[in-house]
Amino acid sequence: SLSLFGGGGGSSNSGGERSVGKAAYTIDHLQSLYERLKSIKNGDEQNRDTMVEVIRQITEALIWGEQNGHDHNFFDFFCEKNILADFVGVLGLARVPKTVKVQLLQTLSMLVQNIRRDTSLYYLFSNNHVNQLISTQFDWSDEEILGYYISFLKSLALRLNGETIKFFFNERAQQFPLFVEAVRFFGHRDQMVRTAVRTTTLQVFSVEDSVMQRFVLERSSCTYFVHLACHLRELWVRLDQ
């Protein structure tokens, strides 16, 4: 059977997943983690804990390499092996256990938040993998999945500026999934979700890009802004009472 993470597999090493220290932050160890990830043949419950732990260790190594300029070879390896595409592809598979999806959403949020080099950030945002993930339809009735998904959107929005907006807003196709998907949850019953959505929209509004701003205004004038106005009216009524 085919591996979830591209290619066939090397041999897997049993046990000892959690014994990670500074010595583990080497390119050789990252290579061994990647080979182990490739060796996982399917995403069933039997492999769940192993997948989660290997993904977590890969995340730690990547962030360690990025922070303080320790070793840029870590993220270069991540790019070379196209691991981001694998992560996004796995997130879109229905059979993959929820705990694996949660770990992947956490991983991507942490990478977005902790990456220091512009070149690394631009790689993450390029090739449309992130927009593909944003547009993935998860089980929105699962509040844990939704919470991590919205947190991921917020982490992306916090990295928006005049340069990075081009990776998310497609002027020619008039598509902006980061904004469109976020505002769907504006009226969600969970306050943390609503707060994250507002943070995301405020970050979008603050980016100085006239074409994008026009798209947002046209898209929101009869939907999001109407709901926002109604919400504010309800708050004012409560205050008056």
Side-chain angles (χ1 to χ4, degrees), residues 134-216:
I134 293 170
S135 301
T136 298
Q137 297 304 299
F138 295 100
D139 178 6
W140 302 128
S141 64
D142 189 315
E143 294 189 0
E144 187 177 15
I145 288 284
L146 176 59
Y148 282 110
Y149 171 80
I150 290 294
S151 178
F152 173 61
L153 297 192
K154 184 177 77 170
S155 69
L156 292 172
L158 292 172
R159 302 304 297 262
L160 286 179
N161 55 42
E163 290 296 319
T164 58
I165 189 66
K166 64 188 176 186
F167 296 110
F168 298 95
F169 174 60
N170 186 328
E171 179 180 351
R172 178 176 295 181
Q174 287 292 288
Q175 294 176 340
F176 193 4
L178 176 58
F179 179 78
V180 171
E181 295 299 324
V183 297
R184 288 176 53 194
F185 301 101
F186 165 75
H188 195 271
R189 63 181 178 274
D190 188 312
Q191 183 177 351
M192 291 183 65
V193 171
R194 296 197 305 271
T195 300
V197 169
R198 288 168 194 158
T199 299
T200 300
T201 56
L202 287 172
Q203 285 296 124
V204 169
F205 298 153
S206 71
V207 177
E208 296 185 6
D209 184 296
S210 59
V211 179
M212 180 275 293
Q213 289 175 341
R214 185 162 60 248
F215 170 88
V216 168

Coordinates of all heavy atoms in Angstrom, one line a residue, residues 134-216:
I134 N -6.8 26.2 3.6 CA -7.8 27.1 4.0 C -9.2 26.7 3.5 O -10.2 26.8 4.1 CB -7.5 28.6 3.6 CG1 -6.2 29.1 4.4 CG2 -8.7 29.5 3.9 CD1 -5.7 30.4 3.9
S135 N -9.2 26.3 2.2 CA -10.4 25.9 1.5 C -10.9 24.5 1.8 O -12.0 24.1 1.4 CB -10.3 26.1 0.0 OG -9.9 27.4 -0.3
T136 N -10.1 23.7 2.6 CA -10.5 22.4 3.0 C -11.7 22.4 3.9 O -11.7 23.2 4.8 CB -9.3 21.7 3.7 OG1 -8.2 21.6 2.8 CG2 -9.7 20.3 4.1
Q137 N -12.7 21.6 3.6 CA -13.9 21.5 4.4 C -13.7 20.4 5.5 O -13.8 19.2 5.2 CB -15.1 21.3 3.5 CG -15.4 22.4 2.5 CD -15.5 23.7 3.2 OE1 -16.4 23.9 4.1 NE2 -14.7 24.7 2.9
F138 N -13.5 20.8 6.7 CA -13.4 19.9 7.8 C -14.7 19.6 8.4 O -15.8 20.1 8.0 CB -12.4 20.4 8.9 CG -11.0 20.6 8.4 CD1 -10.5 21.8 8.0 CD2 -10.1 19.5 8.4 CE1 -9.2 22.0 7.6 CE2 -8.8 19.7 8.0 CZ -8.4 20.9 7.6
D139 N -14.8 18.8 9.4 CA -16.0 18.6 10.2 C -16.2 19.7 11.1 O -15.7 19.8 12.2 CB -15.9 17.3 11.0 CG -17.2 17.0 11.8 OD1 -18.1 17.7 11.7 OD2 -17.1 16.0 12.6
W140 N -17.0 20.7 10.7 CA -17.1 22.0 11.5 C -17.9 21.7 12.8 O -18.0 22.6 13.6 CB -17.8 23.1 10.6 CG -17.0 23.4 9.4 CD1 -17.5 23.5 8.1 CD2 -15.6 23.7 9.3 NE1 -16.5 23.8 7.2 CE2 -15.3 24.0 7.9 CE3 -14.6 23.8 10.2 CZ2 -14.1 24.3 7.5 CZ3 -13.3 24.2 9.7 CH2 -13.1 24.4 8.4
S141 N -18.6 20.6 12.9 CA -19.3 20.3 14.1 C -18.4 19.9 15.2 O -18.7 19.9 16.4 CB -20.3 19.2 13.9 OG -19.7 18.0 13.6
D142 N -17.1 19.6 14.9 CA -16.1 19.2 15.9 C -15.4 20.5 16.3 O -14.6 21.2 15.6 CB -15.0 18.3 15.2 CG -14.1 17.7 16.2 OD1 -13.6 18.5 17.1 OD2 -13.8 16.5 16.2
E143 N -15.7 20.9 17.5 CA -15.3 22.2 18.0 C -13.7 22.3 18.2 O -13.1 23.4 18.0 CB -15.9 22.6 19.4 CG -17.4 22.8 19.2 CD -18.1 23.3 20.5 OE1 -17.4 23.5 21.5 OE2 -19.3 23.5 20.4
E144 N -13.1 21.2 18.5 CA -11.6 21.2 18.6 C -11.0 21.4 17.3 O -10.1 22.3 17.1 CB -11.1 19.9 19.2 CG -9.6 19.9 19.5 CD -9.2 18.6 20.2 OE1 -9.9 17.6 20.2 OE2 -8.0 18.6 20.7
I145 N -11.4 20.7 16.2 CA -10.9 20.9 14.9 C -11.1 22.4 14.5 O -10.2 23.1 13.9 CB -11.6 20.0 13.9 CG1 -11.1 18.5 14.1 CG2 -11.3 20.4 12.4 CD1 -9.7 18.3 13.5
L146 N -12.4 22.9 14.7 CA -12.7 24.3 14.3 C -11.8 25.3 15.0 O -11.3 26.2 14.4 CB -14.2 24.6 14.6 CG -14.6 26.0 14.3 CD1 -14.4 26.4 12.8 CD2 -16.1 26.2 14.7
G147 N -11.6 25.0 16.3 CA -10.8 25.9 17.1 C -9.3 26.0 16.6 O -8.8 27.1 16.4
Y148 N -8.7 24.9 16.2 CA -7.4 24.9 15.7 C -7.3 25.5 14.3 O -6.4 26.1 13.9 CB -6.8 23.5 15.7 CG -6.3 23.1 17.1 CD1 -7.0 22.1 17.8 CD2 -5.2 23.7 17.7 CE1 -6.5 21.8 19.1 CE2 -4.8 23.4 19.0 CZ -5.4 22.4 19.7 OH -5.0 22.1 20.9
Y149 N -8.4 25.2 13.5 CA -8.4 25.8 12.2 C -8.5 27.3 12.2 O -7.8 28.0 11.5 CB -9.7 25.2 11.4 CG -10.0 25.9 10.1 CD1 -9.3 25.5 9.0 CD2 -11.0 26.8 10.0 CE1 -9.6 26.1 7.7 CE2 -11.3 27.4 8.8 CZ -10.6 27.0 7.7 OH -10.9 27.6 6.4
I150 N -9.4 27.8 13.0 CA -9.5 29.3 13.2 C -8.3 29.9 13.7 O -7.8 31.0 13.3 CB -10.7 29.7 14.1 CG1 -12.1 29.3 13.3 CG2 -10.7 31.1 14.4 CD1 -12.3 30.1 12.1
S151 N -7.6 29.2 14.6 CA -6.3 29.7 15.2 C -5.3 29.8 14.1 O -4.5 30.7 14.0 CB -5.9 28.8 16.3 OG -4.6 29.2 16.8
F152 N -5.3 28.8 13.2 CA -4.4 28.8 12.0 C -4.7 30.0 11.1 O -3.7 30.7 10.7 CB -4.6 27.5 11.3 CG -3.8 27.4 10.0 CD1 -2.4 27.5 9.9 CD2 -4.5 27.3 8.8 CE1 -1.7 27.5 8.7 CE2 -3.8 27.2 7.6 CZ -2.4 27.3 7.6
L153 N -5.9 30.3 10.8 CA -6.3 31.4 10.0 C -5.8 32.7 10.7 O -5.3 33.6 10.0 CB -7.8 31.5 9.8 CG -8.5 30.4 9.0 CD1 -9.9 30.8 8.6 CD2 -7.7 30.0 7.8
K154 N -6.0 32.8 12.0 CA -5.5 34.0 12.7 C -4.0 34.2 12.6 O -3.5 35.3 12.4 CB -6.0 34.0 14.1 CG -5.6 35.3 14.9 CD -6.1 35.2 16.3 CE -5.3 34.4 17.2 NZ -5.6 34.5 18.6
S155 N -3.3 33.1 12.7 CA -1.8 33.2 12.7 C -1.4 33.6 11.3 O -0.4 34.4 11.1 CB -1.2 31.8 13.0 OG -1.5 30.8 12.0
L156 N -2.1 33.2 10.2 CA -1.8 33.7 8.9 C -2.1 35.2 8.8 O -1.3 35.9 8.2 CB -2.6 32.9 7.9 CG -2.3 31.4 7.7 CD1 -3.4 30.8 6.8 CD2 -1.0 31.2 7.1
A157 N -3.2 35.6 9.3 CA -3.6 37.0 9.1 C -2.6 37.9 9.8 O -2.4 39.0 9.4 CB -5.0 37.2 9.7
L158 N -2.0 37.4 10.9 CA -1.1 38.3 11.7 C 0.2 38.4 10.9 O 1.1 39.3 11.3 CB -0.8 37.7 13.0 CG -2.0 37.7 14.0 CD1 -1.7 36.9 15.3 CD2 -2.3 39.2 14.4
R159 N 0.4 37.7 9.8 CA 1.6 37.8 9.0 C 1.3 38.6 7.7 O 2.2 38.7 6.8 CB 2.3 36.4 8.7 CG 2.7 35.6 9.9 CD 3.6 36.2 10.8 NE 4.9 36.6 10.3 CZ 6.0 35.8 10.4 NH1 6.0 34.7 11.1 NH2 7.2 36.2 9.9
L160 N 0.1 39.1 7.6 CA -0.2 39.8 6.4 C 0.4 41.2 6.3 O 0.5 41.9 7.3 CB -1.8 40.0 6.3 CG -2.6 38.8 5.9 CD1 -4.1 39.1 5.9 CD2 -2.2 38.2 4.5
N161 N 0.9 41.5 5.2 CA 1.4 42.9 4.9 C 1.3 43.1 3.4 O 0.8 42.3 2.7 CB 2.8 43.1 5.5 CG 3.8 42.1 4.9 OD1 3.8 41.7 3.7 ND2 4.7 41.5 5.8
G162 N 1.9 44.3 3.0 CA 1.8 44.6 1.6 C 2.5 43.6 0.7 O 2.2 43.5 -0.5
E163 N 3.4 42.8 1.2 CA 4.1 41.8 0.4 C 3.4 40.5 0.4 O 3.3 39.8 -0.6 CB 5.6 41.7 0.9 CG 6.5 42.9 0.6 CD 6.7 43.1 -0.9 OE1 6.9 42.1 -1.6 OE2 6.6 44.2 -1.3
T164 N 3.1 40.0 1.6 CA 2.5 38.7 1.8 C 1.1 38.6 1.3 O 0.6 37.5 1.0 CB 2.6 38.2 3.2 OG1 1.9 39.1 4.1 CG2 4.0 38.1 3.7
I165 N 0.4 39.7 1.2 CA -1.0 39.6 0.7 C -1.2 39.0 -0.6 O -2.2 38.3 -0.9 CB -1.7 41.1 0.7 CG1 -3.2 41.0 0.5 CG2 -1.0 41.9 -0.3 CD1 -3.9 40.3 1.6
K166 N -0.1 39.1 -1.5 CA -0.2 38.6 -2.8 C -0.3 37.1 -2.9 O -0.8 36.5 -3.8 CB 1.0 39.0 -3.7 CG 2.3 38.5 -3.1 CD 3.5 39.1 -3.8 CE 4.8 38.7 -3.2 NZ 6.0 39.4 -3.8
F167 N 0.1 36.4 -1.8 CA 0.0 35.0 -1.7 C -1.4 34.5 -1.3 O -1.7 33.3 -1.5 CB 1.0 34.4 -0.6 CG 2.4 34.6 -1.0 CD1 3.2 35.5 -0.2 CD2 3.0 33.9 -2.0 CE1 4.5 35.7 -0.5 CE2 4.4 34.2 -2.3 CZ 5.1 35.1 -1.6
F168 N -2.3 35.4 -0.8 CA -3.6 35.0 -0.4 C -4.7 35.6 -1.2 O -5.8 35.0 -1.4 CB -3.8 35.5 1.1 CG -2.8 34.8 2.0 CD1 -1.6 35.5 2.4 CD2 -3.1 33.6 2.5 CE1 -0.7 34.9 3.2 CE2 -2.2 32.9 3.4 CZ -1.0 33.6 3.7
F169 N -4.5 36.8 -1.8 CA -5.5 37.4 -2.6 C -5.2 37.3 -4.1 O -4.1 37.8 -4.5 CB -5.7 38.9 -2.2 CG -6.6 39.6 -3.1 CD1 -8.0 39.2 -3.3 CD2 -6.2 40.7 -3.9 CE1 -8.8 39.9 -4.1 CE2 -7.0 41.4 -4.8 CZ -8.4 41.0 -4.9
N170 N -6.0 36.6 -4.8 CA -5.8 36.4 -6.2 C -6.6 37.4 -7.0 O -7.8 37.2 -7.1 CB -6.2 34.9 -6.6 CG -5.9 34.6 -8.1 OD1 -5.9 35.5 -9.0 ND2 -5.6 33.4 -8.4
E171 N -6.0 38.5 -7.4 CA -6.7 39.6 -8.1 C -7.4 39.1 -9.4 O -8.5 39.5 -9.6 CB -5.7 40.7 -8.4 CG -6.3 41.9 -9.1 CD -5.3 43.0 -9.4 OE1 -4.2 42.9 -8.9 OE2 -5.7 43.9 -10.1
R172 N -6.7 38.3 -10.2 CA -7.2 37.9 -11.5 C -8.5 37.1 -11.3 O -9.5 37.3 -11.9 CB -6.2 37.2 -12.3 CG -6.7 36.6 -13.6 CD -5.6 36.0 -14.4 NE -4.5 36.9 -14.8 CZ -3.5 36.6 -15.5 NH1 -3.3 35.3 -15.9 NH2 -2.5 37.5 -15.8
A173 N -8.4 36.1 -10.4 CA -9.5 35.2 -10.1 C -10.5 35.8 -9.1 O -11.6 35.2 -8.9 CB -9.0 33.8 -9.6
Q174 N -10.2 36.9 -8.5 CA -11.0 37.5 -7.5 C -11.4 36.5 -6.4 O -12.5 36.2 -6.1 CB -12.3 38.1 -8.1 CG -12.1 39.4 -8.9 CD -11.7 40.5 -8.0 OE1 -12.5 41.1 -7.2 NE2 -10.4 40.9 -8.1
Q175 N -10.3 35.9 -5.8 CA -10.4 34.9 -4.8 C -9.6 35.3 -3.6 O -8.4 35.7 -3.7 CB -10.0 33.5 -5.3 CG -10.9 32.9 -6.3 CD -10.4 31.6 -6.9 OE1 -9.2 31.3 -6.7 NE2 -11.3 30.8 -7.5
F176 N -10.2 35.2 -2.4 CA -9.5 35.5 -1.2 C -10.0 34.6 -0.1 O -10.7 35.0 0.8 CB -9.8 37.0 -0.8 CG -8.9 37.6 0.3 CD1 -7.8 36.9 0.8 CD2 -9.1 38.9 0.7 CE1 -7.0 37.4 1.8 CE2 -8.3 39.4 1.7 CZ -7.2 38.7 2.2
P177 N -9.6 33.3 -0.1 CA -10.1 32.3 0.8 C -9.9 32.6 2.3 O -10.7 32.3 3.1 CB -9.4 31.0 0.4 CG -8.3 31.4 -0.5 CD -8.7 32.7 -1.1
L178 N -8.7 33.3 2.6 CA -8.4 33.6 4.0 C -9.5 34.4 4.6 O -10.0 34.2 5.7 CB -7.1 34.3 4.1 CG -6.7 34.7 5.5 CD1 -6.6 33.5 6.5 CD2 -5.3 35.4 5.5
F179 N -9.9 35.4 3.9 CA -11.0 36.3 4.4 C -12.4 35.7 4.3 O -13.2 35.6 5.2 CB -11.0 37.6 3.6 CG -12.1 38.6 4.0 CD1 -12.0 39.3 5.2 CD2 -13.2 38.7 3.2 CE1 -13.0 40.2 5.5 CE2 -14.3 39.6 3.6 CZ -14.1 40.3 4.8
V180 N -12.7 35.1 3.1 CA -14.0 34.5 2.9 C -14.3 33.4 3.8 O -15.4 33.3 4.4 CB -14.1 34.0 1.4 CG1 -15.4 33.2 1.2 CG2 -14.0 35.2 0.4
E181 N -13.4 32.5 4.1 CA -13.6 31.4 5.0 C -13.7 31.8 6.4 O -14.5 31.3 7.2 CB -12.5 30.3 4.8 CG -12.5 29.6 3.4 CD -13.8 28.9 3.1 OE1 -14.4 28.3 4.0 OE2 -14.2 28.9 1.9
A182 N -12.9 32.8 6.8 CA -12.9 33.3 8.2 C -14.3 33.9 8.5 O -14.8 33.6 9.6 CB -11.8 34.3 8.4
V183 N -14.8 34.8 7.7 CA -16.1 35.5 8.0 C -17.3 34.5 8.1 O -18.3 34.9 8.6 CB -16.3 36.7 7.1 CG1 -15.2 37.7 7.2 CG2 -16.5 36.2 5.6
R184 N -17.1 33.3 7.5 CA -18.2 32.4 7.7 C -18.6 32.1 9.1 O -19.7 31.7 9.5 CB -17.8 31.0 7.0 CG -17.8 31.1 5.5 CD -17.3 29.7 5.0 NE -18.1 28.6 5.5 CZ -17.7 27.3 5.4 NH1 -16.5 27.1 4.8 NH2 -18.4 26.4 5.9
F185 N -17.6 32.2 10.0 CA -17.7 31.9 11.4 C -17.9 33.1 12.3 O -17.7 33.0 13.5 CB -16.5 31.0 11.8 CG -16.4 29.7 11.1 CD1 -15.4 29.7 10.0 CD2 -17.2 28.6 11.3 CE1 -15.3 28.5 9.3 CE2 -17.0 27.5 10.5 CZ -16.1 27.4 9.5
F186 N -18.2 34.2 11.7 CA -18.4 35.4 12.5 C -19.4 35.3 13.6 O -19.1 35.7 14.7 CB -18.8 36.6 11.6 CG -19.3 37.8 12.3 CD1 -18.4 38.6 13.0 CD2 -20.6 38.1 12.4 CE1 -18.8 39.7 13.7 CE2 -21.1 39.2 13.2 CZ -20.2 40.0 13.8
G187 N -20.5 34.6 13.4 CA -21.5 34.5 14.4 C -21.5 33.2 15.1 O -22.5 32.8 15.8
H188 N -20.4 32.5 15.2 CA -20.3 31.2 15.8 C -20.6 31.4 17.3 O -20.3 32.4 17.9 CB -18.9 30.6 15.6 CG -18.8 29.2 16.0 ND1 -18.5 28.7 17.2 CD2 -19.0 28.1 15.2 CE1 -18.5 27.4 17.3 NE2 -18.8 27.0 16.0
R189 N -21.1 30.3 17.9 CA -21.5 30.4 19.3 C -20.3 30.5 20.3 O -20.4 31.0 21.4 CB -22.4 29.2 19.7 CG -21.7 27.9 19.6 CD -22.6 26.7 20.0 NE -22.0 25.4 19.8 CZ -21.9 24.8 18.6 NH1 -22.5 25.3 17.6 NH2 -21.4 23.6 18.6
D190 N -19.2 30.0 19.8 CA -18.0 30.1 20.7 C -17.3 31.4 20.6 O -16.9 31.9 19.5 CB -17.0 29.0 20.2 CG -15.8 28.8 21.1 OD1 -15.2 29.8 21.5 OD2 -15.5 27.6 21.4
Q191 N -17.2 32.1 21.7 CA -16.6 33.4 21.8 C -15.2 33.5 21.3 O -14.8 34.4 20.6 CB -16.7 34.0 23.2 CG -16.2 35.4 23.3 CD -16.3 36.0 24.7 OE1 -16.9 35.4 25.6 NE2 -15.7 37.1 24.9
M192 N -14.4 32.4 21.6 CA -13.0 32.4 21.1 C -12.9 32.4 19.6 O -12.0 33.0 19.0 CB -12.2 31.2 21.7 CG -12.0 31.3 23.2 SD -11.0 29.9 23.9 CE -9.5 30.2 23.0
V193 N -13.8 31.7 19.0 CA -13.9 31.6 17.5 C -14.3 33.0 17.0 O -13.6 33.5 16.0 CB -14.9 30.6 17.0 CG1 -15.1 30.7 15.5 CG2 -14.4 29.1 17.4
R194 N -15.3 33.6 17.5 CA -15.7 34.9 17.1 C -14.6 36.0 17.2 O -14.3 36.8 16.3 CB -16.9 35.4 17.9 CG -18.2 34.6 17.7 CD -19.4 35.3 18.1 NE -19.3 35.8 19.5 CZ -19.7 35.1 20.6 NH1 -20.2 33.8 20.4 NH2 -19.6 35.6 21.8
T195 N -13.8 35.9 18.3 CA -12.7 36.8 18.6 C -11.6 36.6 17.6 O -11.1 37.6 17.0 CB -12.2 36.6 20.0 OG1 -13.2 36.9 21.0 CG2 -11.0 37.6 20.3
A196 N -11.3 35.4 17.3 CA -10.3 35.1 16.3 C -10.7 35.6 14.9 O -9.8 36.1 14.1 CB -10.0 33.6 16.2
V197 N -11.9 35.4 14.6 CA -12.4 35.9 13.3 C -12.3 37.4 13.2 O -11.9 38.0 12.2 CB -13.9 35.5 13.0 CG1 -14.5 36.2 11.8 CG2 -14.0 34.0 12.9
R198 N -12.6 38.1 14.2 CA -12.5 39.6 14.2 C -11.1 40.0 14.1 O -10.8 41.0 13.4 CB -13.2 40.2 15.5 CG -14.7 40.1 15.4 CD -15.3 40.4 16.8 NE -16.7 39.9 16.8 CZ -17.4 39.7 17.9 NH1 -16.8 39.8 19.1 NH2 -18.7 39.3 17.8
T199 N -10.2 39.3 14.8 CA -8.8 39.6 14.7 C -8.3 39.5 13.3 O -7.6 40.3 12.7 CB -7.9 38.7 15.6 OG1 -8.3 38.9 17.0 CG2 -6.4 39.0 15.5
T200 N -8.7 38.4 12.6 CA -8.4 38.1 11.2 C -8.9 39.2 10.3 O -8.1 39.7 9.5 CB -9.0 36.7 10.8 OG1 -8.4 35.7 11.6 CG2 -8.6 36.4 9.3
T201 N -10.1 39.6 10.5 CA -10.7 40.6 9.6 C -10.0 42.0 9.8 O -9.8 42.7 8.8 CB -12.2 40.7 9.8 OG1 -12.5 41.0 11.1 CG2 -12.9 39.5 9.4
L202 N -9.7 42.3 11.0 CA -9.1 43.6 11.3 C -7.7 43.6 10.7 O -7.2 44.7 10.2 CB -9.0 43.8 12.8 CG -10.3 44.2 13.5 CD1 -10.1 44.2 15.0 CD2 -10.8 45.6 13.0
Q203 N -7.0 42.5 10.7 CA -5.7 42.4 10.1 C -5.8 42.6 8.6 O -5.0 43.3 7.9 CB -5.0 41.1 10.4 CG -4.4 41.0 11.8 CD -3.3 42.0 12.0 OE1 -3.4 42.8 13.0 NE2 -2.3 41.9 11.2
V204 N -6.8 42.0 8.0 CA -7.0 42.1 6.5 C -7.3 43.6 6.2 O -6.8 44.1 5.2 CB -8.2 41.2 6.1 CG1 -8.6 41.6 4.6 CG2 -7.8 39.7 6.2
F205 N -8.2 44.2 7.0 CA -8.6 45.6 6.7 C -7.4 46.6 6.8 O -7.3 47.6 6.1 CB -9.6 46.1 7.7 CG -10.9 45.3 7.6 CD1 -11.8 45.2 8.7 CD2 -11.3 44.7 6.4 CE1 -13.0 44.5 8.6 CE2 -12.5 43.9 6.4 CZ -13.3 43.9 7.5
S206 N -6.4 46.2 7.6 CA -5.2 47.1 7.8 C -4.2 47.0 6.7 O -3.3 47.9 6.6 CB -4.6 46.7 9.1 OG -3.9 45.5 9.0
V207 N -4.3 46.0 5.8 CA -3.3 45.9 4.7 C -3.7 46.9 3.6 O -4.8 47.0 3.1 CB -3.3 44.5 4.1 CG1 -2.4 44.4 2.9 CG2 -2.9 43.5 5.2
E208 N -2.7 47.7 3.2 CA -2.9 48.8 2.2 C -2.7 48.2 0.8 O -1.6 48.2 0.3 CB -1.9 49.9 2.5 CG -2.2 50.6 3.8 CD -1.3 51.9 4.0 OE1 -0.6 52.2 3.0 OE2 -1.3 52.5 5.0
D209 N -3.8 47.7 0.3 CA -3.8 47.1 -1.1 C -5.2 47.5 -1.6 O -6.2 46.9 -1.2 CB -3.6 45.6 -1.1 CG -3.5 45.0 -2.5 OD1 -4.5 45.1 -3.2 OD2 -2.5 44.5 -2.8
S210 N -5.3 48.5 -2.5 CA -6.5 49.0 -2.9 C -7.4 48.0 -3.6 O -8.7 48.0 -3.4 CB -6.3 50.2 -3.9 OG -5.5 49.8 -5.0
V211 N -6.9 47.1 -4.4 CA -7.7 46.1 -5.1 C -8.3 45.1 -4.2 O -9.4 44.8 -4.2 CB -6.8 45.4 -6.2 CG1 -7.7 44.4 -6.9 CG2 -6.2 46.4 -7.2
M212 N -7.4 44.7 -3.2 CA -7.9 43.8 -2.2 C -9.0 44.4 -1.3 O -10.0 43.8 -1.0 CB -6.8 43.3 -1.3 CG -7.2 42.3 -0.2 SD -7.7 43.1 1.3 CE -6.2 43.9 1.9
Q213 N -8.8 45.7 -0.9 CA -9.7 46.4 -0.1 C -11.1 46.5 -0.8 O -12.1 46.4 -0.2 CB -9.2 47.7 0.3 CG -8.1 47.6 1.3 CD -7.4 49.0 1.6 OE1 -7.6 49.9 0.8 NE2 -6.7 49.0 2.7
R214 N -11.0 46.8 -2.1 CA -12.3 46.9 -2.9 C -13.0 45.6 -2.9 O -14.2 45.5 -2.8 CB -12.0 47.4 -4.3 CG -13.2 47.6 -5.2 CD -12.9 48.5 -6.4 NE -11.9 47.9 -7.3 CZ -10.6 48.3 -7.4 NH1 -10.3 49.4 -6.8 NH2 -9.8 47.7 -8.2
F215 N -12.3 44.5 -3.1 CA -12.9 43.1 -3.1 C -13.6 42.9 -1.8 O -14.7 42.4 -1.7 CB -11.8 42.1 -3.3 CG -12.3 40.7 -3.1 CD1 -12.8 39.9 -4.1 CD2 -12.1 40.1 -1.8 CE1 -13.3 38.6 -3.9 CE2 -12.5 38.8 -1.6 CZ -13.1 38.0 -2.6
V216 N -12.9 43.2 -0.7 CA -13.4 43.0 0.7 C -14.7 43.8 0.9 O -15.7 43.3 1.4 CB -12.3 43.3 1.8 CG1 -13.0 43.3 3.1 CG2 -11.2 42.2 1.7

